[in-house]
Amino acid sequence: MKVLFQSADADAQASLDLLARQLPQAHFDLWPQAGGEAHDVAVCWKPPPGFFRGRRFRAIFNMGAGVDALLQDPELPAATPIFRLEDAGMAEQMEEYVAWAALGYLRNMDVYVRQQERAEWKQLDPRPRENFSIGIMGLGLLGQRVARYLHAMGFPVRGWNRSERGIDGVTCYAGEAGLSKFLTDTQMLVCMLPLTPETQGVLNAALLAQLPRGAYLVSIGRGLQLVEADLLDMLDSGHLAGALLDVMPQEPLPADHAFWRHPLITVTPHISAQTLMEASMRQIAEKIDAFMRGESVSGLIDRNKGY
Ligand code: NAP
């Protein structure tokens, strides 16, 4: 079996070595050093334009959960199955990130950080956790894990998803019909949706206005889901109390971007769930192995849905 390996990350060779150790029977080529020879499968992450030109694979394995960047490639072979990374250590990181955001907002930590900058000693009233409702948009592999985790921490949790979901202790809403009800009582909105034509710009003024006054936004799906100007308006008008943004319309976020210096915005550099290379390469090796043996493989992308 021949594998073509490509990664936009600096340590591509190290990742390839990890994968090669899991698949000793396979021959690996690292792109772009590899010549024009044929390969059975591609393992890739954000391939540059031209990567797929003139190439055919039996399957493509994406080294991340989101395939939005991959599906943008006009030369992506039309009928080749694409498999994505599923959890591989990302769910636990998402749980930690959102728990930190929830506790930080609940306990006014962002306000205390700003007070410290002014040497201001002022105690704020605590908010009871049981009255602080968190809404998760997108109850997929990662969203479900976060919803369950927050519920176990004692927060009232609600979720919104395309199809109906039943999660113990979590109030679930589905589709357009359930969206307004979901938003009305959500004090902290966490977007964990994949980026698709439907979800691009979903975090806009019309949606954010349905949150109660003083709500907080956590954006950890993809940056293009957020309409930047609408967020700034909502913060300036006081409708939103703050936002924690891990994903940006343009990454890295340009140094002169308003988000960096906005007093009510916290920026993190796309780290809410990082790819853990050992676990990820182990999972991709298992998927390749199963695929080559003709077994069913989970994580197949539905190109019509875009995730
Ligand atoms: P997933 O298992 O594919 O889940 C996606 C969920 O979103 C599904 O439950 C799906 O509903 C729902 N959904 C999709 N489009 C929708 C729409 N228009 N309206 C309502 N619900 C919709 O994906 P995942 O593994 O949980 O990952 C989710 C996303 O997180 C990824 O695509 C990626 O963009 C992002 N991510 C970010 C980071 C980071 O570090 N910031 C790391 C990893 C992943 P149905 O099942 O009903 O179709």
Side-chain angles (χ1 to χ4, degrees), residues 84 140-142 161-163 165 198 220 246 270 272-273 307:
R84 72 184 186 99
L141 268 178
L142 301 178
N161 198 62
R162 182 202 295 275
S163 55
R165 287 277 190 273
E198 268 180 60
I220 54 179
D246 186 50
H270 202 139
S272 53
Y307 57 94

Side-chain angles (χ1 to χ4, degrees), residues 69-113:
L70 191 61
L71 296 184
Q72 291 298 314
D73 192 324
E75 294 174 297
L76 182 69
T80 311
I82 301 169
F83 299 94
R84 72 184 186 99
L85 215 51
E86 297 171 287
D87 183 356
M90 286 185 281
E92 187 176 88
Q93 295 176 71
M94 286 293 198
E95 289 169 354
E96 291 165 354
Y97 187 94
V98 181
W100 165 72
L103 292 173
Y105 184 55
L106 183 75
R107 299 299 308 271
N108 296 303
M109 290 306 176
D110 51 341
V111 181
Y112 292 128
V113 167

Side-chain angles (χ1 to χ4, degrees), residues 49-60:
F51 174 74
F52 290 107
R53 192 166 307 146
R55 294 187 187 275
R56 280 162 170 253
F57 301 103
R58 291 173 60 189
I60 297 165

Side-chain angles (χ1 to χ4, degrees), residues 246-264:
D246 186 50
V247 287
M248 309 296 156
Q250 189 190 344
E251 295 183 7
L253 187 65
D256 60 353
H257 197 285
F259 286 172
W260 282 117
R261 273 160 284 275
H262 197 291
L264 300 178

Side-chain angles (χ1 to χ4, degrees), residues 64-68 84-87 90 94 137-144 160-165 174-176 191-196 198-199 202 219-222 225 246-247 251 270-275 301 305-307:
V67 288
D68 42 290
R84 72 184 186 99
L85 215 51
E86 297 171 287
D87 183 356
M90 286 185 281
M94 286 293 198
M137 292 180 88
L139 296 171
L141 268 178
L142 301 178
Q144 285 193 41
W160 178 75
N161 198 62
R162 182 202 295 275
S163 55
E164 302 273 352
R165 287 277 190 273
E176 280 307 312
C191 182
M192 301 189 69
L193 290 165
L195 179 64
T196 67
E198 268 180 60
T199 67
V202 67
S219 172
I220 54 179
R222 284 290 184 263
Q225 288 160 347
D246 186 50
V247 287
E251 295 183 7
H270 202 139
I271 48 75
S272 53
Q274 293 172 272
T275 301
I301 296 305
K305 284 178 161 178
Y307 57 94

